[in-house]
Amino acid sequence: MPIFEYKCSECDNKFEELVLGSRSTVVCTTCQSENVEKQISSFAASISSSKSSPSCGGNGGGCSSGFS
Ligand SMILES: [Zn+2]
């Protein structure tokens, strides 16, 4: 899911925006300015990687034992 992090150049507000198309205009969530900078969002990347590769290793045994 293409979630990008932006920082507003006007008010330094940092926010995340779900971008569905390259032509969509991203504006600041606080001041509605279009003067925003796209950041490299390691936060969104860590979320997607944690979902696709769980920390239990994927052997199929260790994960469910501690859940219930
Ligand atoms: Zn702003």
Side-chain angles (χ1 to χ4, degrees):
M1 197 173 284
I3 299 177
F4 296 105
E5 184 174 299
Y6 293 86
K7 184 171 74 73
C8 179
S9 298
E10 300 295 332
C11 67
D12 281 341
N13 176 43
K14 293 180 70 177
F15 60 98
E16 289 168 356
E17 187 75 22
L18 175 62
V19 180
L20 296 178
S22 58
R23 301 183 68 88
S24 61
T25 301
V26 178
V27 298
C28 175
T29 55
T30 300
C31 69
Q32 311 302 312
S33 171
E34 294 183 15
N35 191 10
V36 296
E37 301 175 2
K38 184 191 289 187
Q39 310 288 294
I40 303 298
S41 183
S42 58
F43 177 68
S46 65
I47 290 179
S48 60
S49 65
S50 65
K51 283 183 177 178
S52 59
S53 58
S55 58
C56 56
N59 285 333
C63 224
S64 58
S65 60
F67 193 82
S68 63

